[in-house]
Amino acid sequence: LPGSDHILVATGYAKWGMTNAVAAGLALAGTALGGHQPWAQAYRTWRGSEVTGLAKAASLNIQVARHLTTGWLSAAFGGGGTPAEGEGRVERRGIRPVGVCTVDGTTSAVSPICPHLYGILNWNDAERSWDCPLHGSRFTHDGKLLEGPATRDLEQL
């Protein structure tokens, strides 16, 4: 709880566990044993920057909502035809959005709905992957999970 050091927990390292988990462990041990590391302030449960960061947090969440809305709207009006080599797009088949791409001469169709928060994925020409603009999940051209926060593959259609 903010301002309380009775329960100490560190979590949420994403891809930085090997470094940040060690730093958090040192900071927690220092707090529990009454020590003081000036750098450990970054790991405190409550900082003044959390209040001043509210406007930035609101702005970021508005951007996520915008991506979510525009993704679904663009999926509703997507075009048809086979994409050229290395290209992909989201189109509509009936009422369902479908992600279609062509990689190495094979055209794949997957659900372009991210299983994490249900945002519509974007095709990444450079990486030939489906990328989520909401939280950064990435999938191969045929829907296999590359990196999360999503925890499962896309549905193949």
Side-chain angles (χ1 to χ4, degrees):
L1 298 173
S4 173
D5 289 334
H6 297 311
I7 299 174
L8 302 172
V9 177
T11 184
Y13 308 116
K15 299 171 189 159
W16 296 95
M18 289 185 70
T19 55
N20 287 359
V22 172
L26 290 169
L28 294 178
T31 299
L33 299 173
H36 175 72
Q37 298 93 356
W39 55 266
Q41 188 63 25
Y43 290 93
R44 299 292 305 160
T45 57
W46 181 253
R47 297 180 303 276
S49 64
E50 292 182 27
V51 174
T52 59
L54 287 176
K56 178 70 173 174
S59 171
L60 290 172
N61 281 307
I62 287 169
Q63 289 178 27
V64 168
R66 184 177 51 82
H67 281 299
L68 184 64
T69 304
T70 57
W72 278 97
L73 288 173
S74 66
F77 301 106
T82 303
E85 176 62 35
E87 293 182 354
R89 68 169 168 274
V90 176
E91 57 186 46
R92 186 171 51 93
R93 293 185 185 163
I95 60 169
R96 183 179 193 153
V98 176
V100 181
C101 65
T102 303
V103 174
D104 297 330
T106 303
T107 301
S108 304
V110 298
S111 170
I113 303 169
C114 182
H116 176 235
L117 287 179
Y118 309 107
I120 297 294
L121 302 173
N122 295 327
W123 177 252
N124 180 334
D125 286 332
E127 298 289 331
R128 294 183 172 194
S129 63
W130 293 104
D131 299 353
C132 183
L134 302 183
H135 291 102
S137 293
R138 297 183 60 233
F139 305 87
T140 62
H141 68 280
D142 58 353
K144 303 282 188 264
L145 178 65
L146 289 171
E147 58 186 304
T151 57
R152 66 181 187 273
D153 297 341
L154 300 175
E155 177 186 349
Q156 293 190 5
L157 304 175

